[in-house]
Amino acid sequence: MNSKFRILTLSLLTVCLSFSAQAQQSLIYGKVTTISGESYTGQIRWGKEEAFWTDLFNGNKEGNDNYRYLSREDRSRLREKIRDNNRWGGVWISWGSRDEYETTHEFQARFGDISSMEMNRRSEVRLTMRNSETMYVEDGSNDFNTDIYVMDQEFGETKIRWSRIEKVEFMDTPNKLSSKLGEPLYGTVQFYGGEYTGVIQWDHDERLTTDILDGDSRDGDVKIEFGNLASIEREGSGSRVITKSGRDMYLRGSNDVNSGNRGIIVTTEFGRIDIPWREFKKVTFSEAPANLKTYRDFAGLKKLSGTVTTTRGETLSGEIIYDLDEAYTFEMLQGEDHDVSYIIPFESVKSIVPKNYDNSLVVLKSGEELILGESRDVSEDNDGVIVFVNGDPKYILWEDIKEITFN
């Protein structure tokens, strides 16, 4: 073999191995300790859905101490607004302990933002975030009371019941896993609004190359590992499936390939996009790149800060609590555009401009602009913001906001 060719071959092999190792480090990894004192360490899959550091842990926040920053006048204005919204079918409200209306807020954070979890009881988890902040989260999604799978390096794949878990401690994923549950599912999804490339969650379920696509062909039931697929294209009442070897097959009869599909989620560099089946066109799979987020990439959690410009021309700068709830860069902004749902960490948001009662212009730090609605984060259901100007809290109702620019 020519020496130059040998060097080139070795270099390409090194690059491929590097890409593979980096992609592996995007997988959730840690130690699960049970109530009997046993511990299991390895790659973690949370239920069937969550497998990557960028995946979300969901629940409900137990309470909201931020109402203490509101004056009596502020509370009265907010109470009146929420009463009006609720009268016309708006947000769900409850009567607070201090004789005021308070809304229930959802908790969402990426697994990479979390240091550890302690299961206090079946419906409550004590979270320690990467910045040492402690939060109590209550049941509010299928992330609670679910089985957790650990690819223990000695025992192999171990399924642990929720009721047996005492604590989960997250840690850096090793460069090389001797055994794993699968590789990242990655590719480009085309839909009627454009296309996005990133880590893929098919039918809100399948995440890894070892997961199975089900469908009926004209010859019978077919089960194909996603790692063997080159593309899936929606066609009629089913899907056209092409394998990496070039085999072409039309499948139907399963929610993996027909209108029963719950949607295709793409996690990009800026956030998470959920594309419903009716908007989906085609996915083309490719090898996961070297720049997928690893656990180390989530270490820099900060408080939200920036500048709020009001409709009266005031400019207020300082730390920000958004919607009387989100106070950190790891927390999420939600909204929809033509039935396509976006969940975006505030660290990716440059500015927000309310446009009308239902929609806002969201400008990302990447430069992309989105008109988002159908969510309290970007509509009149928003409880407003608090800006700490030189440490002094100033409350601004949503209808009085012209623009918010984040640092």
PDB file of all heavy atoms in Angstrom, residues 50-79:
ATOM      1  N   GLU A  50     -36.409   9.521  26.496  1.00  0.00           N
ATOM      2  CA  GLU A  50     -35.221  10.351  26.713  1.00  0.00           C
ATOM      3  C   GLU A  50     -33.933   9.524  26.729  1.00  0.00           C
ATOM      4  O   GLU A  50     -33.827   8.569  27.502  1.00  0.00           O
ATOM      5  CB  GLU A  50     -35.356  11.136  28.020  1.00  0.00           C
ATOM      6  CG  GLU A  50     -36.401  12.242  27.972  1.00  0.00           C
ATOM      7  CD  GLU A  50     -37.814  11.753  28.157  1.00  0.00           C
ATOM      8  OE1 GLU A  50     -37.976  10.629  28.652  1.00  0.00           O
ATOM      9  OE2 GLU A  50     -38.747  12.486  27.802  1.00  0.00           O
ATOM     10  N   ALA A  51     -32.969   9.926  25.909  1.00  0.00           N
ATOM     11  CA  ALA A  51     -31.704   9.205  25.817  1.00  0.00           C
ATOM     12  C   ALA A  51     -30.502  10.134  25.686  1.00  0.00           C
ATOM     13  O   ALA A  51     -29.356   9.677  25.798  1.00  0.00           O
ATOM     14  CB  ALA A  51     -31.734   8.242  24.620  1.00  0.00           C
ATOM     15  N   PHE A  52     -30.744  11.457  25.466  1.00  0.00           N
ATOM     16  CA  PHE A  52     -29.659  12.398  25.194  1.00  0.00           C
ATOM     17  C   PHE A  52     -29.661  13.534  26.207  1.00  0.00           C
ATOM     18  O   PHE A  52     -30.700  13.863  26.798  1.00  0.00           O
ATOM     19  CB  PHE A  52     -29.806  12.967  23.774  1.00  0.00           C
ATOM     20  CG  PHE A  52     -29.794  11.912  22.711  1.00  0.00           C
ATOM     21  CD1 PHE A  52     -30.976  11.359  22.255  1.00  0.00           C
ATOM     22  CD2 PHE A  52     -28.603  11.449  22.188  1.00  0.00           C
ATOM     23  CE1 PHE A  52     -30.977  10.368  21.291  1.00  0.00           C
ATOM     24  CE2 PHE A  52     -28.588  10.456  21.223  1.00  0.00           C
ATOM     25  CZ  PHE A  52     -29.775   9.907  20.771  1.00  0.00           C
ATOM     26  N   TRP A  53     -28.503  14.153  26.374  1.00  0.00           N
ATOM     27  CA  TRP A  53     -28.384  15.261  27.323  1.00  0.00           C
ATOM     28  C   TRP A  53     -29.312  16.408  26.946  1.00  0.00           C
ATOM     29  O   TRP A  53     -29.730  17.182  27.817  1.00  0.00           O
ATOM     30  CB  TRP A  53     -26.946  15.753  27.381  1.00  0.00           C
ATOM     31  CG  TRP A  53     -25.980  14.786  27.995  1.00  0.00           C
ATOM     32  CD1 TRP A  53     -24.870  14.234  27.409  1.00  0.00           C
ATOM     33  CD2 TRP A  53     -26.014  14.248  29.335  1.00  0.00           C
ATOM     34  NE1 TRP A  53     -24.224  13.391  28.287  1.00  0.00           N
ATOM     35  CE2 TRP A  53     -24.902  13.388  29.474  1.00  0.00           C
ATOM     36  CE3 TRP A  53     -26.883  14.414  30.419  1.00  0.00           C
ATOM     37  CZ2 TRP A  53     -24.640  12.697  30.658  1.00  0.00           C
ATOM     38  CZ3 TRP A  53     -26.628  13.718  31.594  1.00  0.00           C
ATOM     39  CH2 TRP A  53     -25.517  12.882  31.704  1.00  0.00           C
ATOM     40  N   THR A  54     -29.658  16.561  25.673  1.00  0.00           N
ATOM     41  CA  THR A  54     -30.534  17.640  25.232  1.00  0.00           C
ATOM     42  C   THR A  54     -32.013  17.309  25.423  1.00  0.00           C
ATOM     43  O   THR A  54     -32.872  18.171  25.207  1.00  0.00           O
ATOM     44  CB  THR A  54     -30.278  17.961  23.752  1.00  0.00           C
ATOM     45  OG1 THR A  54     -30.280  16.740  22.996  1.00  0.00           O
ATOM     46  CG2 THR A  54     -28.936  18.662  23.565  1.00  0.00           C
ATOM     47  N   ASP A  55     -32.346  16.071  25.815  1.00  0.00           N
ATOM     48  CA  ASP A  55     -33.739  15.697  26.060  1.00  0.00           C
ATOM     49  C   ASP A  55     -34.253  16.357  27.338  1.00  0.00           C
ATOM     50  O   ASP A  55     -33.474  16.710  28.230  1.00  0.00           O
ATOM     51  CB  ASP A  55     -33.886  14.177  26.151  1.00  0.00           C
ATOM     52  CG  ASP A  55     -33.719  13.514  24.795  1.00  0.00           C
ATOM     53  OD1 ASP A  55     -33.900  14.203  23.776  1.00  0.00           O
ATOM     54  OD2 ASP A  55     -33.399  12.314  24.754  1.00  0.00           O
ATOM     55  N   LEU A  56     -35.576  16.488  27.433  1.00  0.00           N
ATOM     56  CA  LEU A  56     -36.186  17.264  28.505  1.00  0.00           C
ATOM     57  C   LEU A  56     -36.769  16.402  29.608  1.00  0.00           C
ATOM     58  O   LEU A  56     -37.415  15.381  29.336  1.00  0.00           O
ATOM     59  CB  LEU A  56     -37.298  18.157  27.941  1.00  0.00           C
ATOM     60  CG  LEU A  56     -36.899  19.167  26.868  1.00  0.00           C
ATOM     61  CD1 LEU A  56     -38.118  19.951  26.413  1.00  0.00           C
ATOM     62  CD2 LEU A  56     -35.819  20.111  27.372  1.00  0.00           C
ATOM     63  N   PHE A  57     -36.564  16.852  30.859  1.00  0.00           N
ATOM     64  CA  PHE A  57     -37.265  16.301  32.006  1.00  0.00           C
ATOM     65  C   PHE A  57     -38.392  17.266  32.333  1.00  0.00           C
ATOM     66  O   PHE A  57     -38.166  18.458  32.538  1.00  0.00           O
ATOM     67  CB  PHE A  57     -36.327  16.141  33.203  1.00  0.00           C
ATOM     68  CG  PHE A  57     -37.004  15.558  34.415  1.00  0.00           C
ATOM     69  CD1 PHE A  57     -37.256  14.199  34.497  1.00  0.00           C
ATOM     70  CD2 PHE A  57     -37.406  16.372  35.466  1.00  0.00           C
ATOM     71  CE1 PHE A  57     -37.894  13.657  35.604  1.00  0.00           C
ATOM     72  CE2 PHE A  57     -38.042  15.847  36.575  1.00  0.00           C
ATOM     73  CZ  PHE A  57     -38.289  14.476  36.639  1.00  0.00           C
ATOM     74  N   ASN A  58     -39.634  16.753  32.392  1.00  0.00           N
ATOM     75  CA  ASN A  58     -40.818  17.592  32.545  1.00  0.00           C
ATOM     76  C   ASN A  58     -41.553  17.294  33.843  1.00  0.00           C
ATOM     77  O   ASN A  58     -41.606  16.152  34.292  1.00  0.00           O
ATOM     78  CB  ASN A  58     -41.790  17.344  31.387  1.00  0.00           C
ATOM     79  CG  ASN A  58     -41.198  17.705  30.046  1.00  0.00           C
ATOM     80  OD1 ASN A  58     -41.268  18.842  29.608  1.00  0.00           O
ATOM     81  ND2 ASN A  58     -40.597  16.719  29.382  1.00  0.00           N
ATOM     82  N   GLY A  59     -42.157  18.321  34.400  1.00  0.00           N
ATOM     83  CA  GLY A  59     -42.993  18.175  35.584  1.00  0.00           C
ATOM     84  C   GLY A  59     -43.663  19.501  35.889  1.00  0.00           C
ATOM     85  O   GLY A  59     -43.731  20.388  35.030  1.00  0.00           O
ATOM     86  N   ASN A  60     -44.159  19.654  37.091  1.00  0.00           N
ATOM     87  CA  ASN A  60     -44.764  20.911  37.531  1.00  0.00           C
ATOM     88  C   ASN A  60     -43.992  21.463  38.728  1.00  0.00           C
ATOM     89  O   ASN A  60     -43.594  20.710  39.616  1.00  0.00           O
ATOM     90  CB  ASN A  60     -46.226  20.707  37.935  1.00  0.00           C
ATOM     91  CG  ASN A  60     -47.120  20.455  36.737  1.00  0.00           C
ATOM     92  OD1 ASN A  60     -46.931  21.041  35.672  1.00  0.00           O
ATOM     93  ND2 ASN A  60     -48.092  19.571  36.903  1.00  0.00           N
ATOM     94  N   LYS A  61     -43.781  22.771  38.724  1.00  0.00           N
ATOM     95  CA  LYS A  61     -43.132  23.394  39.859  1.00  0.00           C
ATOM     96  C   LYS A  61     -44.075  23.402  41.046  1.00  0.00           C
ATOM     97  O   LYS A  61     -45.276  23.641  40.899  1.00  0.00           O
ATOM     98  CB  LYS A  61     -42.703  24.824  39.503  1.00  0.00           C
ATOM     99  CG  LYS A  61     -41.625  24.871  38.432  1.00  0.00           C
ATOM    100  CD  LYS A  61     -41.184  26.289  38.131  1.00  0.00           C
ATOM    101  CE  LYS A  61     -40.065  26.303  37.092  1.00  0.00           C
ATOM    102  NZ  LYS A  61     -39.619  27.678  36.765  1.00  0.00           N
ATOM    103  N   GLU A  62     -43.528  23.133  42.229  1.00  0.00           N
ATOM    104  CA  GLU A  62     -44.377  23.036  43.428  1.00  0.00           C
ATOM    105  C   GLU A  62     -45.005  24.366  43.808  1.00  0.00           C
ATOM    106  O   GLU A  62     -46.113  24.429  44.304  1.00  0.00           O
ATOM    107  CB  GLU A  62     -43.565  22.478  44.599  1.00  0.00           C
ATOM    108  CG  GLU A  62     -43.354  20.984  44.543  1.00  0.00           C
ATOM    109  CD  GLU A  62     -42.909  20.438  45.892  1.00  0.00           C
ATOM    110  OE1 GLU A  62     -42.446  21.226  46.719  1.00  0.00           O
ATOM    111  OE2 GLU A  62     -43.034  19.224  46.100  1.00  0.00           O
ATOM    112  N   GLY A  63     -44.282  25.431  43.608  1.00  0.00           N
ATOM    113  CA  GLY A  63     -44.791  26.750  43.985  1.00  0.00           C
ATOM    114  C   GLY A  63     -43.998  27.823  43.265  1.00  0.00           C
ATOM    115  O   GLY A  63     -43.113  27.536  42.461  1.00  0.00           O
ATOM    116  N   ASN A  64     -44.328  29.061  43.526  1.00  0.00           N
ATOM    117  CA  ASN A  64     -43.657  30.176  42.859  1.00  0.00           C
ATOM    118  C   ASN A  64     -43.462  31.310  43.856  1.00  0.00           C
ATOM    119  O   ASN A  64     -44.402  32.044  44.178  1.00  0.00           O
ATOM    120  CB  ASN A  64     -44.474  30.634  41.655  1.00  0.00           C
ATOM    121  CG  ASN A  64     -43.715  31.612  40.777  1.00  0.00           C
ATOM    122  OD1 ASN A  64     -42.687  32.147  41.181  1.00  0.00           O
ATOM    123  ND2 ASN A  64     -44.233  31.850  39.587  1.00  0.00           N
ATOM    124  N   ASP A  65     -42.237  31.445  44.348  1.00  0.00           N
ATOM    125  CA  ASP A  65     -41.923  32.486  45.329  1.00  0.00           C
ATOM    126  C   ASP A  65     -41.777  33.872  44.705  1.00  0.00           C
ATOM    127  O   ASP A  65     -41.624  34.868  45.424  1.00  0.00           O
ATOM    128  CB  ASP A  65     -40.618  32.141  46.067  1.00  0.00           C
ATOM    129  CG  ASP A  65     -40.774  30.940  46.978  1.00  0.00           C
ATOM    130  OD1 ASP A  65     -41.919  30.676  47.413  1.00  0.00           O
ATOM    131  OD2 ASP A  65     -39.761  30.271  47.255  1.00  0.00           O
ATOM    132  N   ASN A  66     -41.822  33.945  43.364  1.00  0.00           N
ATOM    133  CA  ASN A  66     -41.593  35.234  42.712  1.00  0.00           C
ATOM    134  C   ASN A  66     -42.730  36.228  42.912  1.00  0.00           C
ATOM    135  O   ASN A  66     -42.546  37.427  42.708  1.00  0.00           O
ATOM    136  CB  ASN A  66     -41.350  35.020  41.210  1.00  0.00           C
ATOM    137  CG  ASN A  66     -40.095  34.204  40.945  1.00  0.00           C
ATOM    138  OD1 ASN A  66     -39.085  34.380  41.619  1.00  0.00           O
ATOM    139  ND2 ASN A  66     -40.166  33.314  39.981  1.00  0.00           N
ATOM    140  N   TYR A  67     -43.902  35.738  43.330  1.00  0.00           N
ATOM    141  CA  TYR A  67     -45.019  36.658  43.583  1.00  0.00           C
ATOM    142  C   TYR A  67     -44.711  37.622  44.733  1.00  0.00           C
ATOM    143  O   TYR A  67     -45.339  38.678  44.842  1.00  0.00           O
ATOM    144  CB  TYR A  67     -46.295  35.867  43.885  1.00  0.00           C
ATOM    145  CG  TYR A  67     -46.866  35.168  42.676  1.00  0.00           C
ATOM    146  CD1 TYR A  67     -46.546  33.845  42.397  1.00  0.00           C
ATOM    147  CD2 TYR A  67     -47.721  35.836  41.809  1.00  0.00           C
ATOM    148  CE1 TYR A  67     -47.063  33.204  41.280  1.00  0.00           C
ATOM    149  CE2 TYR A  67     -48.248  35.212  40.694  1.00  0.00           C
ATOM    150  CZ  TYR A  67     -47.924  33.889  40.429  1.00  0.00           C
ATOM    151  OH  TYR A  67     -48.425  33.257  39.319  1.00  0.00           O
ATOM    152  N   ARG A  68     -43.734  37.258  45.557  1.00  0.00           N
ATOM    153  CA  ARG A  68     -43.411  38.129  46.696  1.00  0.00           C
ATOM    154  C   ARG A  68     -42.812  39.465  46.237  1.00  0.00           C
ATOM    155  O   ARG A  68     -42.769  40.430  47.015  1.00  0.00           O
ATOM    156  CB  ARG A  68     -42.433  37.425  47.645  1.00  0.00           C
ATOM    157  CG  ARG A  68     -41.021  37.246  47.114  1.00  0.00           C
ATOM    158  CD  ARG A  68     -40.172  36.451  48.111  1.00  0.00           C
ATOM    159  NE  ARG A  68     -38.756  36.389  47.757  1.00  0.00           N
ATOM    160  CZ  ARG A  68     -38.226  35.497  46.949  1.00  0.00           C
ATOM    161  NH1 ARG A  68     -38.996  34.581  46.374  1.00  0.00           N
ATOM    162  NH2 ARG A  68     -36.928  35.504  46.688  1.00  0.00           N
ATOM    163  N   TYR A  69     -42.322  39.528  44.992  1.00  0.00           N
ATOM    164  CA  TYR A  69     -41.728  40.757  44.481  1.00  0.00           C
ATOM    165  C   TYR A  69     -42.778  41.749  43.996  1.00  0.00           C
ATOM    166  O   TYR A  69     -42.449  42.894  43.672  1.00  0.00           O
ATOM    167  CB  TYR A  69     -40.774  40.443  43.328  1.00  0.00           C
ATOM    168  CG  TYR A  69     -39.585  39.606  43.726  1.00  0.00           C
ATOM    169  CD1 TYR A  69     -39.377  38.344  43.152  1.00  0.00           C
ATOM    170  CD2 TYR A  69     -38.660  40.069  44.656  1.00  0.00           C
ATOM    171  CE1 TYR A  69     -38.286  37.565  43.507  1.00  0.00           C
ATOM    172  CE2 TYR A  69     -37.571  39.299  45.023  1.00  0.00           C
ATOM    173  CZ  TYR A  69     -37.389  38.044  44.439  1.00  0.00           C
ATOM    174  OH  TYR A  69     -36.307  37.277  44.798  1.00  0.00           O
ATOM    175  N   LEU A  70     -44.046  41.332  43.937  1.00  0.00           N
ATOM    176  CA  LEU A  70     -45.101  42.201  43.429  1.00  0.00           C
ATOM    177  C   LEU A  70     -45.694  43.053  44.553  1.00  0.00           C
ATOM    178  O   LEU A  70     -45.938  42.562  45.653  1.00  0.00           O
ATOM    179  CB  LEU A  70     -46.215  41.375  42.783  1.00  0.00           C
ATOM    180  CG  LEU A  70     -46.056  41.009  41.306  1.00  0.00           C
ATOM    181  CD1 LEU A  70     -44.783  40.206  41.071  1.00  0.00           C
ATOM    182  CD2 LEU A  70     -47.272  40.238  40.804  1.00  0.00           C
ATOM    183  N   SER A  71     -45.916  44.315  44.243  1.00  0.00           N
ATOM    184  CA  SER A  71     -46.576  45.203  45.200  1.00  0.00           C
ATOM    185  C   SER A  71     -48.065  44.873  45.241  1.00  0.00           C
ATOM    186  O   SER A  71     -48.580  44.106  44.423  1.00  0.00           O
ATOM    187  CB  SER A  71     -46.380  46.663  44.781  1.00  0.00           C
ATOM    188  OG  SER A  71     -47.063  46.901  43.555  1.00  0.00           O
ATOM    189  N   ARG A  72     -48.774  45.473  46.191  1.00  0.00           N
ATOM    190  CA  ARG A  72     -50.216  45.240  46.286  1.00  0.00           C
ATOM    191  C   ARG A  72     -50.910  45.690  45.003  1.00  0.00           C
ATOM    192  O   ARG A  72     -51.832  45.038  44.505  1.00  0.00           O
ATOM    193  CB  ARG A  72     -50.772  46.006  47.491  1.00  0.00           C
ATOM    194  CG  ARG A  72     -52.277  45.831  47.676  1.00  0.00           C
ATOM    195  CD  ARG A  72     -52.750  46.506  48.950  1.00  0.00           C
ATOM    196  NE  ARG A  72     -52.126  45.911  50.127  1.00  0.00           N
ATOM    197  CZ  ARG A  72     -52.341  46.324  51.372  1.00  0.00           C
ATOM    198  NH1 ARG A  72     -53.150  47.355  51.579  1.00  0.00           N
ATOM    199  NH2 ARG A  72     -51.747  45.745  52.390  1.00  0.00           N
ATOM    200  N   GLU A  73     -50.456  46.809  44.446  1.00  0.00           N
ATOM    201  CA  GLU A  73     -51.042  47.315  43.202  1.00  0.00           C
ATOM    202  C   GLU A  73     -50.749  46.346  42.039  1.00  0.00           C
ATOM    203  O   GLU A  73     -51.626  46.079  41.216  1.00  0.00           O
ATOM    204  CB  GLU A  73     -50.479  48.705  42.884  1.00  0.00           C
ATOM    205  CG  GLU A  73     -51.050  49.305  41.607  1.00  0.00           C
ATOM    206  CD  GLU A  73     -50.438  50.659  41.283  1.00  0.00           C
ATOM    207  OE1 GLU A  73     -49.629  51.163  42.098  1.00  0.00           O
ATOM    208  OE2 GLU A  73     -50.756  51.206  40.209  1.00  0.00           O
ATOM    209  N   ASP A  74     -49.504  45.830  41.984  1.00  0.00           N
ATOM    210  CA  ASP A  74     -49.136  44.876  40.933  1.00  0.00           C
ATOM    211  C   ASP A  74     -50.013  43.629  41.011  1.00  0.00           C
ATOM    212  O   ASP A  74     -50.507  43.127  39.993  1.00  0.00           O
ATOM    213  CB  ASP A  74     -47.674  44.465  41.075  1.00  0.00           C
ATOM    214  CG  ASP A  74     -46.709  45.594  40.769  1.00  0.00           C
ATOM    215  OD1 ASP A  74     -47.090  46.519  40.042  1.00  0.00           O
ATOM    216  OD2 ASP A  74     -45.577  45.539  41.291  1.00  0.00           O
ATOM    217  N   ARG A  75     -50.218  43.126  42.221  1.00  0.00           N
ATOM    218  CA  ARG A  75     -51.032  41.919  42.401  1.00  0.00           C
ATOM    219  C   ARG A  75     -52.465  42.161  41.979  1.00  0.00           C
ATOM    220  O   ARG A  75     -53.110  41.296  41.381  1.00  0.00           O
ATOM    221  CB  ARG A  75     -50.982  41.472  43.861  1.00  0.00           C
ATOM    222  CG  ARG A  75     -49.611  41.011  44.321  1.00  0.00           C
ATOM    223  CD  ARG A  75     -49.628  40.665  45.789  1.00  0.00           C
ATOM    224  NE  ARG A  75     -48.284  40.389  46.275  1.00  0.00           N
ATOM    225  CZ  ARG A  75     -47.993  40.104  47.541  1.00  0.00           C
ATOM    226  NH1 ARG A  75     -48.973  40.049  48.437  1.00  0.00           N
ATOM    227  NH2 ARG A  75     -46.750  39.864  47.903  1.00  0.00           N
ATOM    228  N   SER A  76     -52.968  43.342  42.286  1.00  0.00           N
ATOM    229  CA  SER A  76     -54.337  43.675  41.911  1.00  0.00           C
ATOM    230  C   SER A  76     -54.491  43.709  40.387  1.00  0.00           C
ATOM    231  O   SER A  76     -55.468  43.171  39.835  1.00  0.00           O
ATOM    232  CB  SER A  76     -54.714  45.033  42.506  1.00  0.00           C
ATOM    233  OG  SER A  76     -56.011  45.411  42.113  1.00  0.00           O
ATOM    234  N   ARG A  77     -53.529  44.309  39.701  1.00  0.00           N
ATOM    235  CA  ARG A  77     -53.581  44.370  38.231  1.00  0.00           C
ATOM    236  C   ARG A  77     -53.474  42.982  37.624  1.00  0.00           C
ATOM    237  O   ARG A  77     -54.200  42.640  36.684  1.00  0.00           O
ATOM    238  CB  ARG A  77     -52.454  45.263  37.712  1.00  0.00           C
ATOM    239  CG  ARG A  77     -52.559  46.717  38.088  1.00  0.00           C
ATOM    240  CD  ARG A  77     -51.348  47.495  37.605  1.00  0.00           C
ATOM    241  NE  ARG A  77     -51.300  47.542  36.152  1.00  0.00           N
ATOM    242  CZ  ARG A  77     -50.205  47.842  35.465  1.00  0.00           C
ATOM    243  NH1 ARG A  77     -49.054  48.058  36.110  1.00  0.00           N
ATOM    244  NH2 ARG A  77     -50.232  47.892  34.158  1.00  0.00           N
ATOM    245  N   LEU A  78     -52.586  42.158  38.161  1.00  0.00           N
ATOM    246  CA  LEU A  78     -52.422  40.801  37.642  1.00  0.00           C
ATOM    247  C   LEU A  78     -53.665  39.972  37.908  1.00  0.00           C
ATOM    248  O   LEU A  78     -54.121  39.214  37.035  1.00  0.00           O
ATOM    249  CB  LEU A  78     -51.196  40.144  38.277  1.00  0.00           C
ATOM    250  CG  LEU A  78     -50.919  38.694  37.853  1.00  0.00           C
ATOM    251  CD1 LEU A  78     -50.708  38.590  36.356  1.00  0.00           C
ATOM    252  CD2 LEU A  78     -49.708  38.137  38.602  1.00  0.00           C
ATOM    253  N   ARG A  79     -54.246  40.127  39.116  1.00  0.00           N
ATOM    254  CA  ARG A  79     -55.449  39.382  39.467  1.00  0.00           C
ATOM    255  C   ARG A  79     -56.586  39.725  38.500  1.00  0.00           C
ATOM    256  O   ARG A  79     -57.304  38.844  38.013  1.00  0.00           O
ATOM    257  CB  ARG A  79     -55.853  39.691  40.906  1.00  0.00           C
ATOM    258  CG  ARG A  79     -57.066  38.898  41.383  1.00  0.00           C
ATOM    259  CD  ARG A  79     -57.545  39.357  42.743  1.00  0.00           C
ATOM    260  NE  ARG A  79     -56.494  39.257  43.748  1.00  0.00           N
ATOM    261  CZ  ARG A  79     -55.991  40.286  44.399  1.00  0.00           C
ATOM    262  NH1 ARG A  79     -56.424  41.511  44.137  1.00  0.00           N
ATOM    263  NH2 ARG A  79     -55.046  40.105  45.305  1.00  0.00           N
TER     264      ARG A  79
END
